[in-house]
Amino acid sequence: MQDLPDQLANGLALGALYGLIAIGYTMVYGIVQLINFAHGEIFMIGGFGALTAYLWLPDGTGLAVALPLMILLAVVCAVLVAIGAERFAYRPLRGGPRLSPLITAIGLSLALQQAVWAFYPDAKKARPFPQLGGSDFDLGFVTLSREDLFIFVSAPVCMLALGLFVAKTRTGRAMQATSQDPDTAKLMGVNTDRIIVMAFAIGAAFAAVAAIAQGFKTGEVNFRMGFIAGLKAFTAAVLGGIGNIYGAMVGGLVLGVAEALATAYIGDIPGLEQFGGGSWKDVWAFILLILVLLVRPQGILGERLADRA
Amino acid sequence: MALLEVEDLRVAYGKIEAVKGISFTVDAGEVVTLIGTNGAGKTTTLRTLSGLLKPVTGKITFGGEVLNGVGAHKIVSMGLAHSPEGRRIFPRLSIEENLQLGAFLRKDADAVAKDIDNAYERFPILGERRRQAAGTLSGGEQQMLAMARALMSRPKLLMLDEPSMGLSPIMMQKIMSTISELKEQGTTILLVEQNAQAALSLADHGHVMETGNITLSGTGEELMHDESVRKAYLGED
């Protein structure tokens, strides 16, 4: 267990990545009670947006120049697709049966995957993603890779900005009001359609940043990368208490750490050798989800359901 | 010309007609009440006036402008505030944040701050608990907050839906005396109440609603002495 600090860092980096994606699920759910199953594909499109920006730049462009442009194009692509999905797929179904937007979300998820598969050059197989390179940072007790550092900087920056926005600004207050009682928010003069679009857009932007982090980590992007990442992030959102933005990040971190530690150490337990290693890591994540749903169905930071009435 | 004119308003939920062609007016400075039993269509009427529901037919004119087709979030900026049934305060926001949301569309920050102080003066308990989550207030305190919040938009017409619902007699009296204070200060009010006695004693005009229709109209005084009203709503034989 002497590599425990490294495993923890690894888990926290993974968890912050899940948490960033989970924000999108939780914000949209908090406001329109929709599980946007196409959110994983929004994440994937962010990844391809970043790759596109990188490929447009002349060879040999330094990452200091490339990275901001990659983030920018990733965010723009993801936000545009999310806003389009809200406007043309979900909004016409608002006020109808709850099942219709859910089925639409699943359909949209497949449609977006197939669109990238069919139309993005060479996307039928994984496309290599640029690497940060450079050496790791040895802090003595723990070694951090540059990929880890990217997520350790971007996730807190995103969370802090979102927290301040929601708590301190007039629009953020309108967003909270809309999530607590949309009809009454309208009576206050809040344009709730605009607030819903913003929730989709913020979630998409965070997912795009997470996609770059995943691209750095795995060295590739592919049209299916949104499926498992989306499922994990959805798990994180439920784990933390769906509807709660801090819960999403906490759920992500718990999930990431649990996954990293289980992958690293379960194989060391006598009798459980065959469960060690990376091929079981998704199993641990979903077992954790089932346990939390059994013991604390509202999630770690979830409100009691009665508060929503 | 009346401040609010409602002409032949019909509202339906799917195929079920909840309001079946009602007409009434509210003049500036007066208190008008709609009384009637549960399911008579009073709340539906208010929700349609504030734009949350779309009428099937009928015309709503407010301050000379037609409200049909105008979104709920724009109607409040025209001067029509609605304190909804069940109070509907934002439970996880603080009292002060609830009041600030009441002034969401106002740009005059200084005057808003002053109006919040006035609200605390009117309802001292709200001032004492300004940083507390609104969901922790008692029913009567939540009603005060809902009314104070509706007033924050400086409305030309204040619509109150069942402000006395579920309150203790003492609290009910307090809310009713607040409404009569507002009336004395010249606020125009459209009041929906099941407590007919209290509503009629405050109102300049009243309308009795039954299953989606207005069946009887008159001054508050007239209705209070009307035999059928006394039997049906004031609990007398």
Side-chain angles (χ1 to χ4, degrees), chain A residues 167 170-171 173-174 176-192 194 303 307-308, chain B residues 47 50 52 72-73 76 82 84 87-93 97-98 100-102 104-107 149:
Chain A
R170 181 172 162 275
T171 311
R173 206 176 296 132
Q176 293 185 67
T178 305
S179 114
Q180 293 178 30
D181 189 338
D183 269 358
T184 308
K186 282 183 203 159
L187 293 180
M188 304 293 114
V190 175
N191 182 347
T192 51
R194 236 189 82 228
E303 321 273 346
D307 284 355
R308 290 209 65 93
Chain B
R47 287 173 66 83
S50 60
L52 291 175
H73 64 278
V76 59
H82 181 180
R87 321 186 228 287
R88 305 283 283 270
I89 46 106
F90 299 108
R92 293 189 294 284
L93 292 177
E97 288 171 321
N98 267 272
Q100 282 163 344
L101 273 161
F104 184 70
L105 295 176
R106 287 175 56 183
K107 307 274 181 245
R149 184 181 64 179

Side-chain angles (χ1 to χ4, degrees), chain A residues 150-243:
Chain A
F150 175 75
I151 190 79
F152 281 140
V153 171
S154 54
V157 167
C158 287
M159 277 312 284
L160 196 69
L162 180 62
L164 286 175
F165 169 73
V166 169
K168 301 286 179 207
T169 67
R170 181 172 162 275
T171 311
R173 206 176 296 132
M175 193 169 260
Q176 293 185 67
T178 305
S179 114
Q180 293 178 30
D181 189 338
D183 269 358
T184 308
K186 282 183 203 159
L187 293 180
M188 304 293 114
V190 175
N191 182 347
T192 51
D193 280 342
R194 236 189 82 228
I195 297 289
I196 292 168
V197 170
M198 285 177 73
F200 273 89
I202 294 171
F206 284 19
V209 173
I212 297 173
Q214 170 144 331
F216 286 148
K217 239 175 147 56
T218 60
E220 61 169 60
V221 288
N222 71 68
F223 74 96
R224 271 190 303 226
M225 70 194 267
F227 178 68
I228 280 287
L231 217 50
K232 291 279 181 63
F234 170 63
T235 304
V238 173
L239 208 61
I242 193 139

